[in-house]
């Protein structure tokens, strides 16, 4: 039944040969790989306003200079990643770039941050997508967590079925979203330029605000940087591009940067000009849409495409996490099971792991996007910093043609990313401290796992010099509880193996029982020696275990192997098991962990 | 850790020889065996008033004639059971008496009713005890279910530890309860006789009441019969009495009957005279106590002893249920596991089963005593009827000296019990219909289980004429996944058994892997043939399973036995298991249900 359900949800198993990849052209690549980055504009500008709201809405004019700061950072990052694309044409994830240039430890820091971060990608994007929905349909507002969890489950199932990254259908929502936001921005600007709109800003740019501090501005800037999450996606996926892959990828990256910059600036500016105040119930984009169009079909189109692209952005977590997990598992830092392809050729364990932990996060944070974003953003900027630093080291070591200008670009990228990390630590410590506990913990796990795999490989290596324990003979022990067909079957089997010795063992609870059974055994004429153990505490396992200890000890001296054969009768129907004392199961589970004893069940199947 | 907790809760295991029983003298026996019956007066009279309340409190005077009816029934039952005591000096439970005289089917009806009934004994007594507590401490009123469940858990643990039925400490609460109620009755009567109390009855005896019907009176009478539950306890426990056991038991039974009669009449009369109205919050006994003494120390003494004796009454369920289960299990009607003595020599499975289902009932009925009582009472009167009828048959068949008067007494007992059963069915059908579903279902289970045990015994019988499948040779299959110590160990073991053939099987997911492994195996020079199976769907189990099918088919033709040896390495620490693909576990669990294949794991324990 479980298997039927599985087939229904994820479909028939696929053959390994059905694994095929289609190369992406620039237009499709832009759509598919930038959903994470572009969708960030749905929450990034809002985060700036939320940070400024601590002083009051009069401080909102600062969103303009802060937005310009974010644009500068965006430019630096795009240029830096463009260089990574050319330097790592086979995909330069932060884990690979950091490990390759800075060493294993920084690589693991990047890897651990990214693992956590992809989980947060899913949690944040799905929560933000749910916000877009509940802004449009306020009656859903009380059910945020359930809706978000439902989306994660759907995404997990779809990914277990296997979503082709190249599926054309995934491209539409991204272009629709860009179209919707461009429409919003154009309409907003048009109104302003034609004088239809009167500015309702809370204060003019440059108004001095009481109580504003550098700390608060840095905090608002750090918040705004959450709009930049996802810009690294293209540089990780170069092998998916059509040839010449690096140059196509670089062009796509630039295009994405330009679109991201336009959408971000437009929303920041309009939110300021139309005097939008962030609220927990309705998103900034939703408020803008409502102000410009009213709650008509265009408004719902904007909200719908926003929700859709955010959920698609979550899907990039599902593409990236399992691949990173495979890399880490191949390097033996996480369990081997992450390298196994499931029935539908996806790395199912990674997908399930990601789904489970995203749901955990959504539930733990009650689906509140703004509480998740700081953790998400710092998790992004740590690997940003590490991979840019890795590039600096690479240029200094390799010194290719024009390396100085490349070095400068990556140095600026590294520096700004590092400053953002520090700003986060300084201004949002109360929200991001968990990462300072989890990152070291995860890295410690990485090392523990690595050490274990190394120790195992060492112990399993076959060496002709030291062969394993040579077996000179066999002793078979058969626990018996009656003169039955089941026991007869086990005795026959034991005899067929022609061991050096067969011992039948029975456990008696009282003297009378002992005598009766011994007489019965005598009459049976099996030719096999019966040993009766006496159990005052009515335990079967303990006396048997002690007896095996004794035999095992003697056997080891002679390099004999001890085997316990457990006769077991198997009823025809499952429910009938509860009608029988599960002694054989009990004995088996008790003996399975013994060091030098082989345990086998000799089944006797009932016909009726 | 589980085992430490177990030791802490139920104590060290006891030796079989520590099983000892102490015979009871009459005084102690009365206390221990009558707690169930005597405690019924805590809820019996109240049930009459609740039934009459349907018409109005003016109808309460009918409780006097109805009470007299119950007393007559009590007398008949006591006399009838007195005869059972002498006829079955080794204990005459309804199951044994019915099965012996009426046949297996009526015996099973009695047995099934009793099984259900002992569960209800626990549920009703504990709920009523909780009512006595919450009447005294109204702040506990919202927590009835939790308190009741807590008491059941405590009782279960105590019984798993082993409560000696003979423990003197169990005798005190019963006598204290009798003393408390006698005090209550005497004080009530004293006030009346000395003229201190003015009758506040709702109506004089004989007042015509509009709307009263025979149906309602019968219903009230049936409700009142719940005060008689538990009177059979003494007749089941005769072997526990000091010699001459039957005559001692008979005297104890009469004493119990007299005490029960006095307490019941007293409470019915006082409740009428003092105009008590039943309420869901405060019990009738509690109201009487409060009216007569106020909420002083005597009131709390009455409530305390009532709660205590009710919980002790639940304990009689714990004595009776496991013993009945042993009888039914020995007759092969319920699973054999009920005959096994636990660590502390109690029949732990019966105790746990009883505890679990009582909790289920308490939760299902929200701990409402008056909703549980009808089910309880009909469950008592069905076996009453059957055992009395059994006695009629016995007298007619055996015709001992004076059999006619004995016949008459049991006939009256049987008739009245039967009438009560019919009354229950007629007047309380809406509350007791579940019993009409569950009883037949349980009896059907009894038969199913019995048939299974018979079929098994038949199939397991060893016959020299038809010996089991003779084994002429052995084929050993070893699934291998690498050239490692683990595999080496398994190959050594297989060789030591000198089978006719050893086949190593490996599963490859692609051609390259296949070739690489085959070359490696060749170089290893094991002398053992390697078969490579190809799995396009990346499943290990399916191709292996098909391969074993083929080998098994060939083997059967030659009367060869197929054995699968699974090499398995066992890491040093439990958590390390998740770092390895559990292929050996998977293969084992998949193969364990195969008919003619023996499966053994060859463990290789890692040192580091």
């Amino acid at each position: 039944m479980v298997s039927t359900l599985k087939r229904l949800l994820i479909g028939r198993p696929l053959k390994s040969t059905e694994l095929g990849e289609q190369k992406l052209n620039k237009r499709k690549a832009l759509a598919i790989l930038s959903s994470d980055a572009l969708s960030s504009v749905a929450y990034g500008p809002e985060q700036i306003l939320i940070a400024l709201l601590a002083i009051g809405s009069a401080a909102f004019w600062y969103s303009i200079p802060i937005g310009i700061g974010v644009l500068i950072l965006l430019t630096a990052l795009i240029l830096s990643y463009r260089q990574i694309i050319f330097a790592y044409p086979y995909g330069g994830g932060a884990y690979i770039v950091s490990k390759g240039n800075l060493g294993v430890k920084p690589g693991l820091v990047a890897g651990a941050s990214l693992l956590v971060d992809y989980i947060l990608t899913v949690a944040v994007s799905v929560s933000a997508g749910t916000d877009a929905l509940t802004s449009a349909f306020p009656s859903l507002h009380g059910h945020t967590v359930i809706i978000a969890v439902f989306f994660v489950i759907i995404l997990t199932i779809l990914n277990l079925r296997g979503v082709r990254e190249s599926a054309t259908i995934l491209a539409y929502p991204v272009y629709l979203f860009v179209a919707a936001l461009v429409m919003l921005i154009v309409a907003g600007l048009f109104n302003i330029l034609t004088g239809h709109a009167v500015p309702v800003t809370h204060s003019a740019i440059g108004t001095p605000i009481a109580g504003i501090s550098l700390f608060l501005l840095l905090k608002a800037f750090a918040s705004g940087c959450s709009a930049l999450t996802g810009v690294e996606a293209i540089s990780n996926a170069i092998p998916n591009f059509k040839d010449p892959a690096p140059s196509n990828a670089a062009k796509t990256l630039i295009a994405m940067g330009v679109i991201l910059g336009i959408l971000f600036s437009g929303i920041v500016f309009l939110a300021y000009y139309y005097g939008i105040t962030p609220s927990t119930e309705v998103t900034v984009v939703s408020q803008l849409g409502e102000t410009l169009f009213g709650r008509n079909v265009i408004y719902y189109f904007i909200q719908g495409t926003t929700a859709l692209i955010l959920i698609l952005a979550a899907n990039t977590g599902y593409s990236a996490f399992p691949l990173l997990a495979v890399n880490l598992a191949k390097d033996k830092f996480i369990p081997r099971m992450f390298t196994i392809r499931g029935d539908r050729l996806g790395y199912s364990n990674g997908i399930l792991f990601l789904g489970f932990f995203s749901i955990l996060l959504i539930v733990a944070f009650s689906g509140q996007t703004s509480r998740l974003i700081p953790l998400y953003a710092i998790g992004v900027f740590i690997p940003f910093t590490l991979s840019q630093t890795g590039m600096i080291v690479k240029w200094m070591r390799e010194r290719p043609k024009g390396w100085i200008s490349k070095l400068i670009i990556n140095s600026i990228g590294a520096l700004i990313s590092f400053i953002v990390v520090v700003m986060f630590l300084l201004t949002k410590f109360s929200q991001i401290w968990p990462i300072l506990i989890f990152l070291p913990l995860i890295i410690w796990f990485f090392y523990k796992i690595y050490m274990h795999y190394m120790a195992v490989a060492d112990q399993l290596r076959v060496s002709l010099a030291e062969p394993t324990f040579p077996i000179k003979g066999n002793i078979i022990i058969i626990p018996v509880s009656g003169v039955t067909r089941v026991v007869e079957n086990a005795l026959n089997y034991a005899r067929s193996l022609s061991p050096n010795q067969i011992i039948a063992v029975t456990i008696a609870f009282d003297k009378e029982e002992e005598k009766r059974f011994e007489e019965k055994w005598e009459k049976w004429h099996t030719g096999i020696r019966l040993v009766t153990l006496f159990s005052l505490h009515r335990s079967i396992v303990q006396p048997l275990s002690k007896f095996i200890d004794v035999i095992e000890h003697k056997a080891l001296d002679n390099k004999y192997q001890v085997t316990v054969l457990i006769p077991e009768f198997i009823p025809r129907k499952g429910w009938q098991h509860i009608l029988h004392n599960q002694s054989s199961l009990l004995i088996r589970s008790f003996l399975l962990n013994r060091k030098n004893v082989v345990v086998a069940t000799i089944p006797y199947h009932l016909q009726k």
Side-chain angles (χ1 to χ4, degrees), chain A residues 161-400:
Chain A
R161 285 191 80 94
V163 184
R164 302 253 164 154
E165 278 223 331
S166 50
T168 313
I169 198 159
L170 294 183
Y172 295 118
V174 179
Y175 284 109
L176 289 177
F177 171 75
V178 172
L181 284 203
V182 166
M183 199 154 65
L184 182 81
I185 293 166
V186 167
L189 293 178
F190 180 81
N191 280 356
I192 293 169
L193 295 174
T194 55
H196 275 83
V198 189
V200 286
T201 54
H202 298 284
S203 58
I205 293 176
T207 315
I209 305 295
I212 198 85
S213 63
L214 181 64
F215 181 81
L216 193 87
L217 291 177
L218 288 178
K219 193 170 171 179
F221 174 68
S223 302
C225 290
S226 61
L228 303 181
T229 52
V231 298
E232 80 289 3
I234 289 176
S235 72
N236 296 342
I238 311 164
N240 297 349
F241 278 84
K242 279 197 177 157
D243 282 332
S247 97
N248 281 335
K251 282 174 194 155
T252 311
L253 179 69
I254 301 289
M256 180 189 80
V258 171
I259 297 174
L260 179 57
I262 291 171
L263 299 184
F264 178 79
S265 330
I267 291 172
V268 169
F269 174 71
L270 291 183
Y272 163 71
Y273 195 88
Y274 285 91
I276 303 294
T277 305
S279 104
T280 51
E281 309 262 315
V282 189
T283 64
V284 164
V285 172
S286 166
Q287 290 185 53
L288 269 180
E290 201 172 350
T291 310
L292 287 167
F293 303 107
R295 291 223 162 205
N296 66 6
V297 65
I298 302 180
Y299 167 82
Y300 285 106
F301 174 68
I302 294 173
Q303 288 307 105
T305 53
T306 308
L308 212 55
I309 198 186
L310 280 163
I311 288 166
L312 270 186
N315 200 52
T316 64
Y318 279 93
S319 321
F321 183 94
L323 284 175
L324 175 63
V326 168
N327 281 331
L328 282 166
K330 280 189 180 156
D331 292 347
K332 300 191 190 301
F333 290 114
I334 63 172
R336 198 172 289 173
M337 60 175 169
F338 287 104
T339 62
I340 298 174
R341 284 187 191 273
D343 279 350
R344 301 285 290 187
L345 297 167
Y347 294 106
S348 333
N349 290 322
I351 293 169
L352 288 170
F353 188 91
L354 176 63
F356 176 78
F357 279 95
S358 331
I359 289 177
L360 213 67
L361 273 179
I362 290 172
V363 172
F365 285 81
S366 318
Q368 291 172 15
T369 316
S370 35
R371 286 177 57 205
L372 285 163
I373 285 179
L375 284 172
Y376 177 37
I378 187 153
V380 169
F381 278 93
I382 290 173
F384 275 8
T385 311
L386 286 168
S387 54
Q388 304 297 343
T389 312
M391 291 306 288
I392 298 177
V393 172
K394 186 181 167 77
W395 299 138
M396 302 217 332
R397 195 186 295 145
E398 298 177 3
R399 306 195 179 198

Side-chain angles (χ1 to χ4, degrees), chain A residues 582-593:
Chain A
Q582 303 299 318
S583 332
S584 58
L585 199 73
L586 199 75
I587 295 173
R588 192 171 66 206
S589 55
F590 212 83
L591 295 180
L592 269 185
N593 280 324

Side-chain angles (χ1 to χ4, degrees), chain A residues 389-459:
Chain A
T389 312
M391 291 306 288
I392 298 177
V393 172
K394 186 181 167 77
W395 299 138
M396 302 217 332
R397 195 186 295 145
E398 298 177 3
R399 306 195 179 198
K401 209 177 114 212
W403 67 278
I404 294 196
S405 63
K406 288 178 174 161
L407 179 71
I408 292 171
I409 289 174
N410 281 125
S411 300
I412 294 173
L415 188 70
I416 301 188
S417 301
F418 179 69
I419 291 172
V420 173
V421 170
V422 173
M423 276 182 193
F424 266 105
L425 285 174
L426 289 178
T427 64
K428 304 204 157 201
F429 188 78
S430 65
Q431 288 175 289
I432 60 171
W433 60 266
I435 214 117
L436 297 181
I437 293 171
F438 283 108
L439 274 194
L441 205 65
I442 294 169
I443 293 165
W444 183 77
F445 276 131
F446 284 172
Y447 271 100
K448 276 299 249 190
I449 291 170
Y450 182 77
M451 299 307 278
H452 171 74
Y453 278 131
M454 286 299 138
V456 168
D458 204 46
Q459 291 171 81

Side-chain angles (χ1 to χ4, degrees), chain A residues 2 81 94 112 117 127 136 168 214 405 418 441 469 517 521 534 601 603:
Chain A
V2 172
Y81 271 107
D117 212 56
S127 304
T168 313
L214 181 64
S405 63
F418 179 69
L441 205 65
F469 171 52
F517 188 69
W521 188 268
F534 210 74
T601 306

